[in-house]
Amino acid sequence: MSSVKKLAGQTLWYGLPTIASRFLGYLMNMALPFIFAQPSVTADLTQVYAIIPFLSIVFTYGVETAYFRYSNEKDRTALYNTLSLSIFVTTILFSVLLYIFRGSIAGAAGLNDHPEYIIWMLGILFFDTLATLPFARLRQENRPKKYAFVRVAGIAVNILIVFTFLGILPSYAKNNPDSFIGTFYSKDVGIGYYLIGNLCGSLFTFLLLWKEWKQIRFNFDSALWKEVMNYSYPLIVVGLGGMINDMLSRLVYQHVVDLPKEQAKHELGVFANIYRIAVLITIMIQAFRMAAEPFFFNRAKDEDAPRTYARVMKFFVIACCFLFLGIGLYLDVLKWILTLKSKAWGEGMNVVLLLAMGNIFLGIYYNLSVWYKLTNKNMYGAVITIAGAVVTVLLNIVLIPKFHYWGAAIATFSCYLLMMVSSYVLGQKHYPVPYARKKIINYLIVVTILVVLHKLILLLYAPLWFSILTGTLLLGFFTWLVVQVERKELQGLPYIGKFISAR
């Protein structure tokens, strides 16, 4: 249990800044319905942010995971120098190539009206990529305070710029057109200030990590680089497949849905907003991964490592269940908030729960993936991800034209379900872990039943206050259930344990 307590503590250290930064960014994106009345205005921005993760996988080519994998076996200084030099050279090369073909990229993405978005996007990718290994080093060396400060500071700059240029300056410039401050604002940029804010935040983050870059020495170990690349290249396939599964629905939505251009942009804007609600779960997943990835590698040689991984999985699923209930039981509240400016933003909210459960499956898959990373069988991960990508592509193309939001949600849910089950079956053959399978399945079934029960109750009486009251009671019931079942283990956890009394 001590190892689980340590992971819980690390997840709080690394997770809280990640949650804070991602949640601040999440709130900034969720502010779109309050700034723009029509979802179609946000379609091009959605398109850009659907492209960035794909390119990020290529730019980083698995070096972060490889750094954790080899940092306990190789000389860390040599490893850091070699990988840093590698990623610096390739980042410049990829950026130059994409800049040369920026026009073609804009045309393929349907961004001909805003080619400047591609340039800003490349700037974001450039600085975010160069920050990858310094962040990994901070995590590996257990330096959470600087990690937290840099993460939060970068997103704070991002938010400050976005809200200044979209929330304050528009009205100020309108009332004071000849003022000096008003000259900084251009109405034509519009939602593009989201990208400018992101670019400034990424640049500021890189500057705060400058000390980590100054420590790099021109000491490139070609033999070490080849060994690391042999390990990491399947992770590129895994990453690209994962991005297909995560982002494809938003990338292709307006291109495959059988609607006029403006209506297609409207639905893309709405669906992207729907997806942001489900992403609440992935914020927690990302926070967990910040601590879990180095933790898994560091514990790999322990005799009781499989049991530790099983405990981690159980508590991870419990945390996801609480998030699922938080979304499902208070969905009416979220809808009410999002539709204050325009009712158009409330479309398709009924698919949120399917997307949320699909994202829980994705989180479970990330936990399960430890088996192929620890056993150097990354090609299995690539095969699983490719299989999921095939399902995603086929279902999106077939279902979106017919079922619109539901089609995209079904594709996401089916893909992550397939990946989760496949990884579990293969993992138990190559690296058996005694997961609490029955408990995990039962928890997922219980939270699904509670959300369905809540919906049925609201069919009889549906004022917002009653929805909140009944939702809170059902959430309280699940909390009580978890405490009864997991009392002994919960008492051993940091922070939480002191609130759990003995029987």
Side-chain angles (χ1 to χ4, degrees), residues 172-285:
Y172 181 86
K174 183 178 179 180
N175 297 326
N176 304 275
D178 299 324
S179 67
F180 175 73
I181 295 177
T183 60
F184 286 98
Y185 173 75
S186 173
K187 183 179 180 181
D188 295 334
V189 175
I191 200 171
Y193 282 115
Y194 266 77
L195 288 170
I196 293 175
N198 194 337
L199 175 57
C200 293
S202 297
L203 172 60
F204 188 67
T205 297
F206 172 75
L207 293 176
L208 290 177
L209 293 169
W210 182 245
K211 184 178 179 181
E212 278 64 39
W213 271 99
K214 284 175 60 179
Q215 294 173 357
I216 298 171
R217 298 294 178 265
F218 193 81
N219 180 20
F220 186 82
D221 188 330
S222 58
L224 176 61
W225 183 83
K226 290 178 182 178
E227 183 179 354
V228 172
M229 289 303 104
N230 284 332
Y231 172 84
S232 67
Y233 81 84
L235 297 177
I236 301 175
V237 180
V238 172
L240 288 174
M243 285 303 106
I244 289 174
N245 300 331
D246 185 33
M247 305 300 297
L248 187 73
S249 57
R250 283 161 284 174
L251 188 63
V252 305
Y253 194 101
Q254 65 176 329
H255 304 293
V256 299
V257 70
D258 187 19
L259 291 170
K261 182 179 179 180
E262 282 305 309
Q263 182 62 23
K265 283 183 174 291
H266 168 82
E267 287 204 359
L268 174 59
V270 170
F271 181 71
N273 191 58
I274 292 169
Y275 209 97
R276 289 184 196 106
I277 298 174
V279 163
L280 274 171
I281 289 178
T282 64
I283 290 175
M284 196 280 290
I285 294 171

Side-chain angles (χ1 to χ4, degrees), residues 12-76:
L12 287 173
W13 268 113
Y14 293 106
L16 286 178
T18 301
I19 289 174
S21 60
R22 289 289 298 272
F23 192 69
L24 287 172
Y26 175 82
L27 289 178
M28 185 175 68
N29 289 329
M30 291 301 288
L32 289 171
F34 302 98
I35 300 173
F36 303 100
Q38 296 304 317
S40 59
V41 177
T42 67
D44 288 343
L45 185 70
T46 298
Q47 197 77 2
V48 172
Y49 280 107
I51 297 171
I52 287 176
F54 286 95
L55 294 178
S56 181
I57 298 299
V58 177
F59 271 60
T60 56
Y61 49 90
V63 294
E64 183 181 40
T65 299
Y67 177 74
F68 291 129
R69 168 65 179 80
Y70 286 96
S71 60
N72 293 320
E73 298 178 5
K74 308 293 183 179
D75 180 87
R76 288 188 182 179

